[in-house]
């Protein structure tokens, strides 16, 4: 069963950065690109549990801050050898810039 949850406004996430949110007892990292796109993934890197919200965002690409593992935020796919995929969550913005994540 899916559930959509309103988590706040996109203004809480500066362009090019990510923030962690607790959604239904699950920690999720939400990212805002410089182009204004919003993506949501698991909060911890599958490699060594690095804090993905602290990673570098360039376009729709995320680089983990601990060991430079790279991911496509659109698909969750790891980029490069031995790079596992991320769990991603559907996310949307409402007309008044509210972030809605679907679990």
């Amino acid at each position: 069963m899916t559930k959509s949850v309103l988590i706040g406004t996109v203004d809480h996430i500066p362009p090019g950065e990510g923030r962690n949110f607790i959604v239904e007892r699950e920690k999720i990292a939400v990212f805002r690109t410089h182009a204004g796109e919003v993506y949501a993934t698991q909060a911890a890197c599958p490699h060594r549990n690095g804090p993905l919200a602290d990673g570098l965002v360039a376009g729709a690409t995320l680089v983990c801050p601990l060991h430079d593992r790279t991911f496509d935020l659109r698909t969750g796919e790891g980029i490069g050898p031995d790079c596992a995929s991320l769990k991603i969550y559907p996310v949307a913005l409402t007309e008044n810039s509210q972030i809605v994540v679907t679990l």
Side-chain angles (χ1 to χ4, degrees):
M1 181 168 92
T2 62
K3 181 176 185 179
S4 295
V5 180
L6 182 71
I7 62 170
T9 66
V10 74
D11 296 335
H12 291 112
I13 307 171
E17 294 187 20
R19 294 291 184 267
N20 286 322
F21 293 87
I22 302 296
V23 182
E24 299 290 311
R25 292 180 267 159
E26 194 165 341
K27 193 172 187 181
I28 295 175
V30 180
F31 302 91
R32 178 180 180 193
T33 69
H34 287 286
E37 298 166 310
V38 179
Y39 299 99
T41 71
Q42 66 191 59
C45 181
H47 175 236
R48 294 229 175 138
N49 293 318
L52 291 176
D54 294 339
L56 300 173
V57 177
T61 302
L62 169 67
V63 179
C64 177
L66 292 186
H67 300 103
D68 295 329
R69 300 292 172 132
T70 305
F71 306 93
D72 184 326
L73 287 170
R74 296 169 295 200
T75 64
E77 292 295 315
I79 301 170
D82 301 324
C83 197
S85 296
L86 298 177
K87 180 176 182 181
I88 60 170
Y89 300 89
V91 63
L93 294 177
T94 66
E95 290 179 8
N96 57 353
S97 301
Q98 296 286 320
I99 302 167
V100 178
V101 175
T102 302
L103 301 177

